Amino acid sequence: MRNPTLARRARALTAAVAAAAVGGLTATLPAQTAPVAPAAPVAETATIVDPGATPETRSLFSFLRDVRGEGILFGHQHTTSFGVTVGDPPDGTRSDVEAAVGDFPAVFGWDTLILEGREKPGVLGAPVEQNIAVFADYMEKAHAFGGINTISAHMNNFVTGGDFYDTEGSTVTAILPGGPKHAELNAYLDDIAAVADQTRDADGDLIPIIFRPWHENAGSWFWWGAAHATPGEFVELWRYTVEYLRDTKGVSNFLYAYSPGGSFGGVDGVYMRTYPGDAYVDILGYDNYDGSTTADSSAWLNGVVQDLAMIADLADARGKISAFTEFGPTGGKLRANGEGVNLDWFTDLLDAIEADPKASRSAYMPTWANFDPLRPAIPYPATGDLPAHEMLPDFQAFEADPFSFFADDLDLADVYGRTVETTEHAPFAHVVTPAAGQRITASPAVVRAKLVGGEATGAWFTVDDDDTRHPLALDSDGYLSATWTLTPEQLDNSTHTVHVTVEVAGSEPLTASSKVILGARPVLAPGVVDDFEGYGDDEALRAEFSTAGVNTISLETGTVGGGDQALRLDYDFTSQTYTGIIKKFSGDWTRFSDLSIWVRPDGSDNRMVLQLVADGVSFEAYPSLAGTDAQVVTIPFEDWRPAPWDTSNADRRLTHDELAKITQFNVYVNEEPAAGVKAGSIVFDEIRATGVASSGFTDVTAEHPYFAEIAWAKRAGIATGWPDGTFRPSARLSREALAAFLHRYTDPEFEAPSTATFRDVPTSHAFFTEIEWLASTGLLPGDPYRKFGPSGTVSRATVASILYALRGTDELPEPGTQTFKDVTPSHPDWAAIEWAAAAGVTTGYPNGTFRPSTPITREAVVAFLHRYDRLPEPPVESVPLFDFADGTQGWTGAGPVAADAGRLAVTSPAGGGWFGVDAPLPDLTGRTEIRMDVVETAGVNPKLALKLGGAWQWCETAEAGWTSEPRTGEDALVFDLTTLTAECAAMLDDVRGFNVYLNEGGHVLDTVEAR
């Protein structure tokens, strides 16, 4: 091969000669011979995803394939768009890497978030065409510096509109061909294709790019992850992405990198679980971050080397490239001046990889971006007031190591100038829909097959062993398709295999198959996670559970807890330290008190972890795996605790609110080294919520339609019931009871006057305080004779009006609106009732009436209050903090501060700095956000620090989010006070200082207020 280390070694030789001369020594150099005329280049051959790729893209593949084992190319995400030395706004020419070691990275990483302006150099709110242009411009500059470009993709959830962490909506199913959001996927891919087409060198030629979509899918944190799509769905999503970009959009400068994440324990079967096939992948990648909580990273390093070696073997066997596609430290291991940090982290990692003959065959290794100077991905030199990062010497040693390649170490004529021929792909057919593992729940279904690289002369599908041929015809979208009619009897949750056969001119017939499940998911009783009776076979079972790590699940038909089937989990810790299974579902468990599970342990004494995800928090319990006798384990919800790693939720409990939002049940098995058992089998059955949650009243059982609402009122101290323990839900609500409910809900600390307001409610009355509170509000007045009528009833309209008044809102219904047929706009309580209906406080009766004059029952008023309690907080009057009308109002900071015309001009130094006042501010108790008008900015991602309490404790909010455009008024920058710790939030009544961290550059601020 043409050795890419020659440039580095030549530099080293030059340096050695120079050193010898300075020292007064005579350097003896080898005798020089006449240069030999180079031989004519011999064309290489490569098999890549795109046989029609540009010559430069083919050459890049050849270079990366050959560099493996000679050295590893270092890469850095957003290296010229984020960092303490890049400037703000950046210009694409400066990098923390270059500032630290005098050279740019060999690989420049970017992300499709630039398209939306959510990452620089994109601009939030700018037209996508503008962001495409600047995206291409930065990659062109990277190419000019000698770097290789790679793009990762973080796509928003096409179903919900949330970000890539929003896992709701079965999004992968929805964006596959035939799905309701398929067109949205195409539109996004169109923008990516536009970036590829606009990224050109000085001669106008397309610049090669490594495209890495759908990464880290072996985890479940992204909506395309393991728990949210079957392996078959992921494979078809990947294939579609390649086919659309390559064949439909004509993108010819992409190499495609598959990177499912890690760790894999060196087990290739787990890594390849969602592999799209050799015809769709050029680079076998691997992402893994060091999450070690101490300076000792040896366990992580061993796992990385093991996995990289496994991936290198897979790449070698397929003629592919292997790479460490994303790496870095987490858990603060690289934070500035952190305690317990391994100061040799980079060189330790490089040494470990280089020492292994297989792992060292990884072509490149990019780390993430320097988004935050306090938690950077790579160290930086001293900049302005910011001192050099303590790990800078180690990173410089990493760069100086001959095994690491940076931009100057690459010969671009070698990278992009090779003559490489490609081999054409043989014709290939695959089943697009239904993808393997999908469920078909209705008839008819559509079978779609794709033929790539050939012309179909005939095509059909069959099912299972039935030889009946169902013809497939070419449709307008380029698929061989047909409808598949199913009878209701076939939709019985059974597994079937669709076989597709395509006759191709000049080739043998092609076949492909997809194993699918017919019928809806088993209908389980409320509270049941699974009883495993509804699965026709192992495939149907595996379609419902995703796996974490290496394990096998299957149906157990021997000893089970109930019925005929259970789940068997087989695991092995030879190459991993934990494994598990995950089931997504949704449930409201407020009527239950415990979780029960039938378990047949394996006697291993390894650690079993049961995990319930409720309201986004993972709660855990730990039944024993000692012994082998089957048993039913029952764990009260009050005994579950947040996972130990989730310190931010350490105080949360499985309360009524959490139990209403159950979304996932997981089982993990962690290796217990002291046990010494490396493999085992556990059987689970009858996983369900059990027990009866108590409402607190003897006459309100879990079957009562308002059980949850009445139980909430009891726990909250709103409803106390009668001395005999009853609540009497259907009884009419008395005026005194309404006063008691509202007083306890709204203002339980109210102090009653010494004299009575009403003649019929003396100070000795059981509800004197409650009624006096209600009288003080004016919400329910007495009569002209100063009588309250405590035992009288209250109408449904009156309760709606009181809640409307309590809300204190100007949320007026549209004129003429009429939700209920018995409440016209002329009704005196029309506005309140319409508000209550629109807010969901009331649903009325099934016949479309509200019955405004009907006396309200006790259960109905509790239901109203419960729904009212869950309404979002109404807008509150803002508290002005700064308006700069009379100058700087005490603001100082790390750079110049000046006020003019009611605005504050700030110049933040290199690396950014804090600006604000060291003086008392108004009480911010109950406020949820600070809003700051930014009239002008060079680009900012600010965060807020408040000095709180007598101890002058500084408390920081989360960052406000990147913006490079003005944000004012209702679009002002928002600092979220709810991100403060509970300890800090409790001191918001005593604010003694206010500081905002502003990125480097000029900023003009206007009104700052609290809401």
Side-chain angles (χ1 to χ4, degrees):
M1 72 170 272
R2 283 148 286 194
N3 196 327
T5 63
L6 291 179
R8 180 182 292 277
R9 291 171 180 167
R11 287 194 308 172
L13 178 60
T14 301
V17 172
V22 169
L25 302 176
T26 302
T28 302
L29 301 178
Q32 301 297 307
T33 58
V36 178
V42 177
E44 302 175 20
T45 301
T47 301
I48 60 176
V49 169
D50 186 0
T54 66
E56 294 80 7
T57 306
R58 302 177 187 191
S59 178
L60 175 60
F61 178 87
S62 172
F63 169 80
L64 292 174
R65 182 180 59 184
D66 287 354
V67 79
R68 298 171 64 224
E70 292 291 329
I72 188 165
L73 280 63
F74 172 76
H76 186 213
Q77 189 82 358
H78 289 300
T79 195
T80 55
S81 58
F82 286 93
V84 300
T85 67
V86 300
D88 206 355
D91 60 11
T93 66
R94 289 172 290 179
S95 160
D96 283 355
V97 174
E98 195 275 338
V101 300
D103 195 357
F104 287 98
V107 176
F108 285 61
W110 313 97
D111 196 274
T112 57
L113 288 171
I114 295 170
L115 295 171
E116 306 154 41
R118 294 171 61 194
E119 287 183 351
K120 294 184 288 186
V123 176
L124 191 65
V128 68
E129 294 79 10
Q130 176 182 324
N131 286 335
I132 288 171
V134 72
F135 196 162
D137 174 64
Y138 269 59
M139 287 197 288
E140 290 166 1
K141 290 175 179 175
H143 180 77
F145 288 132
I148 297 167
N149 286 292
T150 179
I151 299 175
S152 56
H154 288 86
M155 301 184 186
N156 285 347
N157 188 314
F158 292 105
V159 171
T160 67
D163 66 12
F164 38 88
Y165 289 123
D166 182 352
T167 59
E168 298 302 313
S170 300
T171 309
V172 173
T173 304
I175 62 176
L176 285 172
K181 295 295 182 179
H182 182 61
E184 284 83 344
L185 171 64
N186 286 349
Y188 197 93
L189 294 177
D190 288 344
D191 291 339
I192 293 172
V195 172
D197 182 64
Q198 292 187 31
T199 305
R200 297 174 179 267
D201 63 18
D203 297 324
D205 295 326
L206 291 168
I207 294 172
I209 298 168
I210 299 169
F211 184 46
R212 186 169 62 99
W214 315 123
H215 69 304
E216 297 179 10
N217 67 290
S220 296
W221 41 88
F222 299 141
W223 55 258
W224 56 87
H228 319 300
T230 70
E233 286 178 317
F234 179 85
V235 166
E236 288 308 316
L237 174 61
W238 182 284
R239 290 173 175 173
Y240 180 82
T241 301
V242 171
E243 290 170 357
Y244 187 82
L245 291 172
R246 180 191 63 193
D247 305 334
T248 302
K249 302 301 294 184
V251 174
S252 59
N253 53 331
F254 272 7
L255 297 176
Y256 295 88
Y258 167 75
S259 59
S263 302
F264 297 101
V267 179
D268 55 10
V270 180
Y271 176 84
M272 299 291 279
R273 184 180 289 151
T274 54
Y275 184 64
D278 290 347
Y280 293 86
V281 173
D282 294 308
I283 297 166
L284 276 67
Y286 168 73
D287 300 0
N288 199 342
Y289 283 80
D290 182 5
S292 309
T293 56
T294 68
D296 181 10
S297 298
S298 57
W300 179 76
L301 287 173
N302 291 338
V304 165
V305 169
Q306 187 179 35
D307 283 339
L308 289 178
M310 173 267 291
I311 296 169
D313 280 344
L314 291 171
D316 290 343
R318 289 164 169 75
K320 306 293 182 183
I321 297 159
S322 64
F324 196 179
T325 43
E326 200 176 310
F327 80 98
T330 60
K333 289 180 66 65
L334 200 59
R335 64 187 185 277
N337 303 313
E339 297 178 2
V341 171
N342 175 14
L343 297 181
D344 300 321
W345 190 87
F346 283 96
T347 52
D348 282 354
L349 174 59
L350 186 65
D351 290 346
I353 294 173
E354 183 179 6
D356 187 271
K358 293 181 178 179
S360 61
R361 289 180 53 72
S362 305
Y364 59 92
M365 51 183 299
T367 191
W368 208 239
N370 271 16
F371 288 132
D372 184 349
L374 299 179
R375 294 171 180 81
I378 62 105
Y380 45 77
T383 305
D385 295 333
L386 195 65
H389 193 282
E390 61 187 338
M391 294 177 68
L392 180 61
D394 181 59
F395 185 60
Q396 292 170 333
F398 174 93
E399 187 275 338
D401 192 301
F403 197 71
S404 71
F405 295 159
F406 285 64
D408 285 349
D409 300 316
L410 306 185
D411 178 356
L412 294 188
D414 189 25
V415 176
Y416 299 115
R418 300 181 176 206
T419 302
V420 180
E421 296 178 354
T422 57
T423 56
E424 292 293 330
H425 295 301
F428 175 71
H430 59 101
V431 181
V432 177
T433 64
Q438 278 191 328
R439 283 186 177 273
I440 297 174
T441 60
S443 179
V446 179
V447 176
R448 295 179 179 86
K450 183 73 172 181
L451 173 63
V452 182
E455 179 182 350
T457 59
W460 61 88
F461 77 90
T462 61
V463 181
D464 297 331
D465 296 328
D466 186 348
D467 293 333
T468 302
R469 295 184 178 185
H470 306 271
L472 296 167
L474 193 65
D475 64 22
S476 59
D477 294 320
Y479 298 107
L480 297 163
S481 65
T483 56
W484 180 16
T485 304
L486 299 160
T487 66
E489 292 74 24
Q490 289 176 294
L491 300 174
D492 61 354
N493 199 42
S494 55
T495 303
H496 298 269
T497 303
V498 176
H499 302 282
V500 166
T501 302
V502 182
E503 293 178 329
V504 182
S507 174
E508 292 294 318
L510 304 176
T511 60
S513 62
S514 177
K515 186 173 287 189
V516 299
I517 301 98
L518 302 186
R521 289 176 170 83
V523 178
L524 301 170
V528 175
V529 177
D530 220 321
D531 60 8
F532 307 104
E533 297 304 308
Y535 300 109
D537 56 22
D538 292 345
E539 291 297 324
L541 173 71
R542 292 165 187 164
E544 293 302 302
F545 287 83
S546 56
T547 56
V550 184
N551 62 63
T552 301
I553 61 172
S554 57
L555 289 170
E556 171 72 21
T557 56
T559 303
V560 299
D564 300 316
Q565 297 183 152
L567 180 148
R568 178 188 180 97
L569 171 67
D570 294 301
Y571 65 91
D572 191 324
F573 289 136
T574 301
S575 56
Q576 61 186 346
T577 58
Y578 78 95
T579 188
I581 56 175
I582 301 165
K583 182 175 184 179
K584 289 188 66 181
F585 67 101
S586 60
D588 181 345
W589 287 4
T590 54
R591 286 172 167 78
F592 303 100
S593 59
D594 317 294
L595 182 122
S596 174
I597 180 171
W598 183 93
V599 181
R600 192 179 75 201
D602 58 5
S604 65
D605 278 331
N606 285 316
R607 182 177 174 83
M608 182 165 68
V609 180
L610 303 184
Q611 192 177 85
L612 277 173
V613 180
D615 196 21
V617 179
S618 297
F619 294 90
E620 294 186 349
Y622 312 100
S624 172
L625 287 178
T628 57
D629 293 334
Q631 58 184 307
V632 175
V633 178
T634 301
I635 309 166
F637 290 139
E638 63 186 23
D639 292 342
W640 294 68
R641 294 292 182 268
W645 43 263
D646 188 4
T647 55
S648 62
N649 286 301
D651 296 329
R652 291 280 291 269
R653 295 293 181 265
L654 268 173
T655 65
H656 176 276
D657 289 340
E658 282 74 22
L659 288 169
K661 304 171 185 177
I662 302 291
T663 57
Q664 203 163 292
F665 176 78
N666 310 325
V667 179
Y668 293 97
V669 185
N670 297 343
E671 182 181 14
E672 186 60 58
V677 178
K678 286 290 188 180
S681 299
I682 310 168
V683 179
F684 304 98
D685 202 359
E686 301 293 336
I687 309 171
R688 64 183 68 220
T690 56
V692 178
S694 173
S695 69
F697 301 108
T698 58
D699 58 346
V700 180
T701 66
E703 288 72 35
H704 192 284
Y706 293 111
F707 168 83
E709 292 86 344
I710 295 170
W712 164 80
K714 175 66 172 177
R715 282 193 307 276
I718 295 168
T720 58
W722 269 266
D724 63 359
T726 61
F727 178 72
R728 306 180 192 178
S730 60
R732 292 179 175 183
L733 182 78
S734 65
R735 288 165 62 89
E736 64 186 13
L738 177 63
F741 284 7
L742 293 176
H743 165 262
R744 296 165 189 158
Y745 176 76
T746 304
D747 189 11
E749 303 302 321
F750 172 79
E751 294 184 8
S754 58
T755 58
T757 300
F758 301 107
R759 293 164 55 194
D760 56 351
V761 184
T763 57
S764 59
H765 193 283
F767 294 106
F768 173 75
T769 299
E770 291 85 344
I771 293 170
E772 287 295 337
W773 168 81
L774 191 56
S776 72
T777 67
L779 295 172
L780 190 64
D783 62 20
Y785 304 101
R786 289 183 52 240
K787 287 187 177 181
F788 180 73
S791 61
T793 60
V794 185
S795 72
R796 288 167 55 85
T798 297
V799 173
S801 292
I802 288 174
L803 293 179
Y804 186 49
L806 278 177
R807 181 72 171 171
T809 179
D810 57 0
E811 301 168 23
L812 294 173
E814 289 293 327
T817 302
Q818 185 175 345
T819 301
F820 304 109
K821 57 188 179 184
D822 58 347
V823 183
T824 65
S826 62
H827 192 284
D829 295 307
W830 167 80
I833 294 169
E834 287 295 340
W835 163 81
V841 171
T842 181
T843 58
Y845 289 87
N847 65 354
T849 62
F850 178 71
R851 305 179 191 176
S853 59
T854 300
I856 196 166
T857 60
R858 291 169 58 83
E859 63 188 8
V861 78
V862 164
F864 279 25
L865 270 177
H866 182 261
R867 298 166 191 155
Y868 177 90
D869 184 67
R870 277 150 179 73
L871 295 178
E873 289 294 324
V876 295
E877 185 178 350
S878 63
V879 175
L881 301 177
F882 307 98
D883 60 11
F884 309 112
D886 55 351
T888 62
Q889 296 182 340
W891 276 55
T892 60
V897 174
D900 181 47
R903 295 177 174 179
L904 187 77
V906 171
T907 303
S908 190
W914 290 98
F915 294 83
V917 299
D918 197 12
L921 267 70
D923 183 351
L924 298 181
T925 302
R927 303 293 170 169
T928 60
E929 59 187 35
I930 302 291
R931 303 177 70 89
M932 182 173 74
D933 284 345
V934 181
V935 180
E936 298 177 18
T937 181
V940 63
N941 184 18
K943 56 186 171 183
L944 173 68
L946 298 174
K947 184 190 287 187
L948 301 173
W952 294 6
Q953 179 175 341
W954 282 104
C955 297
E956 292 185 17
T957 68
E959 292 176 328
W962 179 262
T963 183
S964 56
E965 297 292 331
R967 295 190 60 175
T968 60
E970 288 305 307
D971 189 40
L973 274 176
V974 175
F975 300 100
D976 187 356
L977 295 181
T978 67
T979 61
L980 294 172
T981 65
E983 177 188 7
C984 290
M987 295 187 289
L988 286 174
D989 62 338
D990 188 9
V991 182
R992 309 209 177 189
F994 180 100
N995 271 291
V996 177
Y997 186 88
L998 299 174
N999 299 80
E1000 174 184 348
H1003 313 279
V1004 177
L1005 312 180
D1006 203 334
T1007 303
V1008 182
E1009 63 182 16
R1011 292 191 182 182

